[in-house]
Structure formats: C-alpha cells, structure tokens
Amino acid sequence: MDKNTIIEVRHLQKFFGTNKVLNDINFSVNRGDVTCIIGSSGSGKSTLLRCINLFEQPTAGEIFVHGINIVNTKKPNEYRKKVGMVFQSFNLFNNMNVLKNCTIGPRTVLKVSKQEAEARAKKYLAMVGMAEYVNARPAQLSGGQKQRVAIARALAMEPEVLLFDEPTSALDPEMVGEVLSVMTSLAQKGLTMVVVTHEMGFARDIATKVVFMDAGIIEEEGTPQQIFTNPQKQRTREFLSRVL
Amino acid sequence: MDLFKNIGEIISKYYIWLLEGVGYTLLVSLISTIIGLIIGILIGIYRTLPAPKNKFLRVLKKIGDVILSVYIEVFRGTPMMVQAMVIFWGFALLNDGKTLNVIFSGMLIVSINTGAYMAEIVRGGIISVDKGQTEGAAAIGMTHFQTMMRVVLPQALRNIMPSVANEFVINIKDTSVLNVIGFTELFFQAKSIVSSNLLTFETYLLVAAIYFVLTFTITRILRLIEKKMDGDKNYVVLGSQNMDANAYAREKNIGGGKQNG
C-alpha cells in the first residue's frame, strides 16, 4: 500500500434491509487528494461517505485507515477525530455560539487547553472569513455563514481527511459561491477532501479525482479531464449531458 | 360588607397559619419539582442509551426498561392522594406503626409522582432535538455521553421548560392532597381555620386567591427565566459596531469568488 494512502475502501457493500445500496465499492483516498463523488440522487454517494465515517455500518467489506481495518472498531469516535465531516444541513450546535461550536471538539475530545482551543477556533474561523462572528448564535447566521462555521468547526479538529456531504445543496444560489470559494482555498492549501457534490463546476475545476457513481457502484473514475471531456461509459455520458 | 370584613378578620387572626401553609406548599412543590426533574432526566438518559452490544448487558437494560415502564405507568395511572395514603401507611405497617416524618413523606410522594411525568416530558424533549445535532457531535468524535451532556440535554431542557413550569404549577395545587397525611400545607391550614371559625366560604375564597397569586407569579417568573435562557437576540460583530460599509466589503471579498456549476 502506498504510504500516502490514508483511506482505502475494499469491496464495500451496504444493504438497507434487502435493498442493496452499495455494491463492491473499491476506492482510496491519498494525502492531498480532492475527490469529488458525483452521480444522480439515490446512486449511493452519501451512503458511501457515511460508511467511510462509520455513520452507517457497512454490511460487508473493509475500510483501511493507514492499513488498519476500522469497520468493526469498538470506538468509532476515536477514528472520527481524524476524519471530519461537513453536512448538508450544517448541524451546528444550536445551544452554543460560533466560538463555542469550534472549541467544543478540541476541548472535550482532544482535551487541549482552553487558550489553545480558542486560538485554533479563531485561526480557522478567520480562514473561512467568520472571525468577526464569534459571538453570534447559529440561528442568527445565514446558511452560507453557518456552513462556513461548520467547516471551521471540522477544521479545528485538524483532521487528516475532511468529508463533505453535499455542502452546498441546502443553500440559496447566492450563498453557494461563498462556501465553494472557502472549499477551493482549502483544496489549494493541500487539505485532503472527499466531496459529494452536485456542483459540477467545482468538481471540474478543483478536484484531483472524480468518481461517478450509479446504482450503488463506481461506474467510472478518473481525473476531471477524463470524466468531463472524455467519459468512457454510456451512463456517465448520460448523466453529464443531463447536468451540464 | 360582611364578606370583606370577615376575610380581613381571618387574615389578621390566622396570618401565621396561612403563611406557614404557603411556606410548606411552596417548599414541597419546588423541591419535588426539582427532584422529579432530576429523576426524569436520569430516566431519559437511561432510555436513550444505545443498545449494548454485549448480550448480558442488553438483557439487563431490557429489565431496567420494564421496571421503569411499570413505575411510570403506575404513578401516572393512580391518584396522588391514594399514593400518599399507600406510601405513608404502608411505611407505618412495615415499621410497627411508626410513621415516616410527614414533611419528608410529602416531598417523597410528590417527587416520585412528578418523576413519572417528568420522565415522559424529558423523553419528548430529547426526541425533539434534531438528529443532526447528534451527528454533528459524533462527527467531531464526541462520545454518546459527551453528546448528551454538551449538546442534546441542554437543548432538550430548554425545549421542555414550559412543561416543567406547568408541572411546578400543578404541584403547587396538587400538594393540597397531602392534607390526607396531615401535611400542614395551605389546604390543611384552611381546613384547620374553618374548624375553629366556621367561616367556610370566606376562608376557602381567601385560600383560592392565595393559590392563584402563587401560581400566577411563578408562571411569570418562569417565563422570564425562559427568556433569559434564550440569550440576547442581538450579537456584536467584532471590529465594528454594526455591519458598516467596511465590514460589508470584507464580507463580500471573502464570500465572493467564482460561481461554479
């Protein structure tokens, strides 16, 4: 295994009841990769992402993190310290202000000091352009601002990989841009990202690898160039002709 | 008019009795509401524990669930007045006629009774917290316990405040049933006053007014506490009093970027 490989998914399967949602998924995430997973609704993109985070227990298959299979780990929370997640619906803690949202993880999970946690929170809030809003509560922010805070919250844990589950799908069109530009700057800083998205422009311009999923399998994967300008599979061409 | 004169006389003659009654009524309802809430929170936490993977622990948890259900159903399904008699005299029967301290019994009975209602209220409060909150906490590596203590319960408690306030008001009124075990709360004092002055209507009218003032005041106070819990409606954007032109420009600069898609 390549020593730059952080996560490697092998023969992953997921059933909901008798419904097969993921079928023999193989894919890996290397350090510095920006992987965009695209595909129609119901193709299993989000389920794959949630399996990587162990929010969904895979039915079969293995997920190796630095060579260790974590599928049956007793402590998924230990693993999630290193694999952050940004949600479609932000999921900021409503009972805390912006600063507290970003310090609670480092404080309670990583047990860093208060000063250290606040310094981190402020650093990452500045990175997403929300430093001025430390005192605001989530309910007082716009969708785009909430998502930027959610990204800062995830970054404050200094994860090795950050998973994005359709981070712009719940936003007004005007707010999509502000979140995507934050994600773009993170990608340029070398953060390893796995992004489930419907934003084809982002996938085309920023991704280092694009994965097209269809009906629970990875139909095609490659560089943005290969997928967007020279797709090999019929299903990929059909999908792209619908969304582009 | 005779009515007001009589009421005035009751107040001047028995105000110590009435004050004592008010004091005990407030004491037992306040403490019992708090203990009941604590019982409710503990049961709420227990019931929302994830199912243990170990088979033995799973069976143990099931047994605990059944015991709690019985507790909740029995205490919600029988009148508190009857519960008071059964517990008070049941204790006496088991201890050769020696009765439990009346004040302690009163608090015990109302606490256990309130706990049964609170358990359901807290459960509802926990369920009402969006599942996304739990996922958000899990995503940064928080354990179930940390998530409960830091994220879910604070929000659940805020959400159930109106119901808790309601329980408190109900307790102020329902402690009157404790007169059956001789607890000297407000209603018991009223009965005693009537038996000596025979002004039944005037005395109970006065006591009704006192109960109303108590519940009304407490409702208002709890409303204020709720407001306080919600925090300030406004927040300060650092580096500017308001969104001035500069802050706006900075925002735009950060938020701009290329529109993809």
Side-chain angles (χ1 to χ4, degrees):
Chain A
M1 186 189 290
D2 190 334
K3 74 174 183 344
N4 277 326
T5 304
I6 302 176
I7 297 176
E8 188 177 1
V9 176
R10 277 194 216 151
H11 307 298
L12 187 75
Q13 288 191 10
K14 176 68 185 172
F15 286 77
F16 286 123
T18 54
N19 185 16
K20 193 180 247 183
V21 188
L22 294 177
N23 188 10
D24 198 28
I25 300 285
N26 293 284
F27 108 114
S28 60
V29 179
N30 295 326
R31 192 173 304 282
D33 272 358
V34 177
T35 309
C36 280
I37 305 176
I38 60 171
S40 352
S41 297
S43 59
K45 312 182 294 288
S46 285
T47 306
L48 172 57
L49 206 64
R50 292 172 63 84
C51 279
I52 294 177
N53 207 6
L54 296 179
F55 273 175
E56 302 292 349
Q57 184 64 35
T59 313
E62 290 132 0
I63 299 171
F64 291 95
V65 179
H66 294 301
I68 298 163
N69 184 10
I70 50 95
V71 165
N72 290 314
T73 177
K74 290 261 189 318
K75 295 202 152 130
N77 54 306
E78 288 294 319
Y79 160 63
R80 291 188 193 119
K81 287 179 190 174
K82 288 176 271 172
V83 181
M85 186 149 185
V86 172
F87 300 88
Q88 181 176 351
S89 49
F90 329 124
N91 296 349
L92 289 178
F93 305 132
N94 295 326
N95 56 325
M96 303 172 197
N97 66 18
V98 166
L99 184 68
K100 194 86 197 296
N101 261 283
C102 299
T103 56
I104 181 108
R107 288 285 282 137
T108 58
V109 179
L110 302 180
K111 312 280 186 208
V112 307
S113 70
K114 192 166 180 232
Q115 291 89 330
E116 158 77 10
E118 287 187 357
R120 268 196 203 190
K122 283 174 182 160
K123 174 176 146 199
Y124 291 111
L125 282 168
M127 201 180 277
V128 299
M130 289 298 292
E132 290 156 331
Y133 293 86
V134 285
N135 295 319
R137 288 178 162 265
Q140 296 161 327
L141 300 176
S142 73
Q145 290 175 326
K146 280 186 207 174
Q147 194 59 296
R148 286 189 279 148
V149 173
I151 293 172
R153 175 177 73 177
L155 289 173
M157 294 295 291
E158 304 192 331
E160 286 185 62
V161 184
L162 197 44
L163 312 174
F164 291 80
D165 189 6
E166 304 197 20
T168 57
S169 298
L171 298 175
D172 288 344
E174 350 174 29
M175 292 173 182
V176 170
E178 67 185 57
V179 171
L180 289 181
S181 66
V182 164
M183 290 168 62
T184 303
S185 75
L186 293 176
Q188 284 159 354
K189 285 192 175 78
L191 180 72
T192 310
M193 298 159 58
V194 182
V195 186
V196 168
T197 188
H198 291 290
E199 296 292 333
M200 294 305 144
F202 180 83
R204 189 183 53 216
D205 299 338
I206 307 301
T208 56
K209 184 165 95 177
V210 176
V211 173
F212 171 68
M213 284 187 67
D214 186 61
I217 58 167
I218 293 181
E219 182 77 15
E220 190 169 355
E221 63 178 293
T223 63
Q225 179 83 12
Q226 288 166 341
I227 300 290
F228 286 100
T229 57
N230 190 19
Q232 300 301 308
K233 299 280 181 68
Q234 181 60 27
R235 295 288 300 140
T236 317
R237 281 197 287 272
E238 281 171 19
F239 173 75
L240 290 173
S241 71
R242 276 201 311 272
V243 296
L244 287 181
Chain B
M1 222 174 104
D2 267 3
L3 179 66
F4 291 116
K5 201 175 124 248
N6 287 340
I7 290 179
E9 265 171 23
I10 296 169
I11 293 173
S12 62
K13 199 163 170 198
Y14 296 104
Y15 71 96
I16 304 249
W17 294 28
L18 292 168
L19 279 180
E20 191 193 339
V22 167
Y24 276 123
T25 292
L26 282 181
L27 182 75
V28 74
S29 44
L30 178 66
I31 290 182
S32 303
T33 306
I34 292 170
I35 296 177
L37 179 59
I38 294 169
I39 295 174
I41 291 170
L42 292 177
I43 296 178
I45 293 175
Y46 178 82
R47 285 180 151 189
T48 49
L49 283 178
K53 290 216 165 91
N54 181 313
K55 199 163 181 202
F56 176 70
L57 288 178
R58 209 160 51 220
V59 172
L60 216 57
K61 172 141 199 297
K62 270 271 152 59
I63 295 171
D65 280 335
V66 171
I67 293 171
L68 290 177
S69 300
V70 170
Y71 158 61
I72 291 167
E73 293 305 328
V74 167
F75 277 86
R76 291 205 310 175
T78 54
M80 191 158 75
M81 201 189 288
V82 178
Q83 293 162 15
M85 290 303 251
V86 169
I87 290 175
F88 188 72
W89 294 112
F91 181 88
L93 188 70
L94 293 175
N95 289 281
D96 303 323
K98 193 173 160 295
T99 56
L100 209 53
N101 174 299
V102 171
I103 294 167
F104 178 78
S105 311
M107 285 180 187
L108 180 74
I109 290 153
V110 183
S111 299
I112 298 177
N113 183 282
T114 309
Y117 286 90
M118 288 290 191
E120 287 297 290
I121 292 171
V122 172
R123 195 170 68 94
I126 290 173
I127 292 170
S128 77
V129 176
D130 179 27
K131 208 169 136 268
Q133 298 285 308
T134 317
E135 287 203 341
I140 54 172
M142 284 165 84
T143 60
H144 175 80
F145 183 73
Q146 288 169 335
T147 306
M148 272 320 242
M149 298 311 282
R150 303 304 189 96
V151 178
V152 176
L153 276 179
Q155 295 184 48
L157 289 180
R158 169 61 193 93
N159 291 347
I160 64 172
M161 266 305 279
S163 308
V164 172
N166 195 33
E167 278 301 308
F168 188 22
V169 166
I170 287 174
N171 277 345
I172 288 175
K173 295 182 292 171
D174 284 6
T175 47
S176 58
V177 306
L178 293 177
N179 78 84
V180 296
I181 59 166
F183 189 97
T184 54
E185 42 65 51
L186 190 53
F187 182 80
F188 183 91
Q189 299 297 70
K191 273 206 322 191
S192 309
I193 293 169
V194 168
S195 67
S196 75
N197 71 2
L198 302 178
L199 292 171
T200 313
F201 173 70
E202 290 86 341
T203 307
Y204 283 113
L205 187 65
L206 175 63
V207 165
I210 296 174
Y211 271 119
F212 180 75
V213 169
L214 290 181
T215 54
F216 187 79
T217 318
I218 277 158
T219 313
R220 299 293 120 173
I221 292 172
L222 290 171
R223 206 50 69 75
L224 278 179
I225 293 175
E226 270 180 53
K227 267 211 173 131
K228 193 114 203 199
M229 283 171 93
D230 286 340
D232 204 340
K233 261 187 122 52
N234 300 308
Y235 61 95
V236 181
V237 176
L238 295 187
S240 62
Q241 285 293 307
N242 256 307
M243 273 299 257
D244 59 13
N246 269 335
Y248 186 67
R250 276 199 301 280
E251 265 292 293
K252 275 288 168 203
N253 198 18
I254 293 149
K258 185 164 62 111
Q259 188 85 20
N260 291 280

